[in-house]
Amino acid sequence: MTAQMESPATTEEMRRFEEFDAAFPDYHAEMIDGEVFLSTVITSPHGNMVLALASQLVCTWSVMTRVDTIYDGWCGKTLLRPDFSVAEPSYLGTRLKQFPADEVILVVEVVSESNPENDTDKKVKKYAQAGIPYYLIVNPIEGKCLLYSLPSGAHYRASLEVDFGEPVPIGAPVDAELDTTGLYTY
């Protein structure tokens, strides 16, 4: 399966975001409801946690980093770049810059110290709205993982919180337990 992507609706907000993003390619930028959020540095602890989790899935699933996640229902005012997302194995080796949210099975975000509410509040609503089956928040500030599932509208109907060191069970079709023993607090 190869995703055939159309560009998201071009809005004034998206046009300005694209100009800003092109001007600062070494920064990690996202837009939520027309507001741009910028991360200047992905810290080593942050990156290590992304690698510790993504490496557990990369041999079986299509694991993507630095990919624009798009959804028509965001009306061209939101563009998210999760720390990593997981799609069916048929997407292995694809080089899409934009990936349709409806093809994503799991999104993982490691909470940022500078804007934790983006990962713990704003993105929960956006990923649920897009119908992404699983959203895993890794929170090194609290030493916990929070897995959301069963999207319904702008929220998830189920959640499971585990402490670092406990496995995180991801249901079908992933059917895996993520080992969190390598995670640590900031």
Side-chain angles (χ1 to χ4, degrees):
M1 178 185 307
T2 303
Q4 298 295 319
M5 285 304 306
E6 295 180 19
S7 295
T10 302
T11 60
E12 183 60 23
E13 291 91 348
M14 189 60 69
R15 187 190 62 71
R16 284 194 316 261
F17 173 79
E18 289 171 351
E19 288 175 0
F20 178 86
D21 193 42
F24 301 98
D26 294 333
Y27 291 80
H28 180 79
E30 294 180 299
M31 183 170 62
I32 303 173
D33 294 329
E35 186 176 354
V36 175
F37 295 90
L38 182 67
S39 298
T40 55
V41 176
I42 302 293
T43 64
S44 180
H46 180 278
N48 287 340
M49 285 185 249
V50 169
L51 288 172
L53 294 171
S55 66
Q56 296 175 52
L57 299 168
V58 75
C59 290
T60 309
W61 296 92
S62 176
V63 177
M64 300 166 285
T65 60
R66 296 195 49 91
V67 173
D68 298 351
T69 302
I70 58 172
Y71 171 66
D72 286 341
W74 294 336
C75 302
K77 294 185 178 192
T78 297
L79 184 143
L80 299 176
R81 292 178 174 148
D83 289 321
F84 74 90
S85 55
V86 176
E88 292 288 337
S90 59
Y91 287 107
L92 282 167
T94 61
R95 295 179 180 214
L96 297 172
K97 178 170 174 21
Q98 295 184 331
F99 201 82
D102 62 345
E103 296 291 329
V104 175
I105 299 168
L106 165 68
V107 145
V108 178
E109 297 279 9
V110 176
V111 173
S112 162
E113 289 180 281
S114 59
N115 292 310
E117 67 282 350
N118 284 350
D119 296 327
T120 60
D121 181 43
K122 295 175 182 178
K123 291 181 185 180
V124 176
K125 295 171 185 167
K126 294 300 178 184
Y127 291 137
Q129 182 183 28
I132 294 174
Y134 298 99
Y135 175 34
L136 178 60
I137 300 171
V138 178
N139 192 333
I141 299 166
E142 297 180 3
K144 296 183 181 293
C145 291
L146 181 58
L147 177 67
Y148 286 101
S149 60
L150 303 173
S152 177
H155 67 278
Y156 284 92
R157 292 178 295 172
S159 63
L160 172 69
E161 184 176 82
V162 300
D163 293 325
F164 284 5
E166 296 176 23
V168 177
I170 311 291
V174 177
D175 289 324
E177 282 196 347
L178 295 180
D179 179 1
T180 66
T181 57
L183 306 181
Y184 45 89
T185 58
Y186 289 147

